[in-house]
Amino acid sequence: MENVSRHSRKWILLTVFMCGFVLLQTVWLVQAASNNQSAEEGRAIFEQYCASCHTVGGGDMAGPDLQGVAEKRDPAWLRRWLEAPDVMLAEGDPIATDLLRQYNNIPMPNQNLSTAEIDALLAYLGAADSGAVPPVQSAREVLTGNPGAGRSLFTGADRLSNGGAACIACHDSGTLGIPGGGLLGPDLTNAVARYGGESGMAAVLGNIPFPSMVPVYQDRPLTPQEQADLTAFMQQSAAKDTPSRGLRHFSLYILAFGLMDVFLLLLFVWHRRLPHHTRRPLSRR
């Protein structure tokens, strides 16, 4: 009787062990599947929000190559950077400020990522580093642009498809002639080189990161073809030997003073012919 009881206890212990083993295996598999799913979701988020400026192992673009960033940066810093880059820049975070300076003063835009999206993005970056998921192969395709069409869009001769304001309202470019463009924004003559070539310029135009421009274009984005045409126009402007902005403005000042001189000369001549000048000799008679 005692042997039977001991035999039963062995079977009970063996059954409990097997059940526990199966349970742990199940938890591990579920967790692994969940992590993989998060990494895949993060890959889609990366492709949507990050790939226009970043690669993972493909080299720098408008922003840095993010291969190894999960190990390079403090996790809390990286999480906050993904959550509120504009706030960190405004606070003067030294790493954020250095990145801004290093990458042509193009600020990283706040993509308003949720906590779950940031978790998935971090999971993807870690998985891409370990080779668990394939990296996004390339950034957004850069189309072939037409400089003439880009000039028409820049100057407003042709309207942007989604109703955004023409660049000339705030920016100048080298081939606009003596009047030039607006003075509110920087001269865009060398913008393509300044922002890292065609892909960098496409990244900037495709996901405009400048706070003053976001309200203008966030609901009226440029189409990929418009981005390519504007890029081609700015490349053409940079290649031409055009008068500098200062020289053109100096020419405008000279023209304005010249017109003022002509106006004063005409006023002087006409003043001599005004009625009180012609009547005075008659009144003396």
Side-chain angles (χ1 to χ4, degrees), residues 192-210:
V192 178
R194 201 160 62 236
Y195 294 145
E198 286 185 39
S199 58
M201 195 71 233
V204 171
L205 294 177
N207 191 7
I208 293 174
F210 308 107

Side-chain angles (χ1 to χ4, degrees), residues 88-124:
M88 293 181 71
L89 284 170
E91 291 174 348
D93 179 273
I95 299 175
T97 304
D98 185 57
L99 286 172
L100 179 68
R101 191 183 305 114
Q102 187 178 352
Y103 290 93
N104 304 304
N105 291 316
I106 303 175
M108 178 163 148
N110 188 334
Q111 305 282 11
N112 296 312
L113 298 175
S114 67
T115 302
E117 288 174 326
I118 291 173
D119 289 341
L121 194 53
L122 291 174
Y124 163 69

Side-chain angles (χ1 to χ4, degrees), residues 159-171:
R159 296 191 61 183
L160 294 167
S161 301
N162 293 319
C167 310
I168 198 172
C170 297
H171 298 283

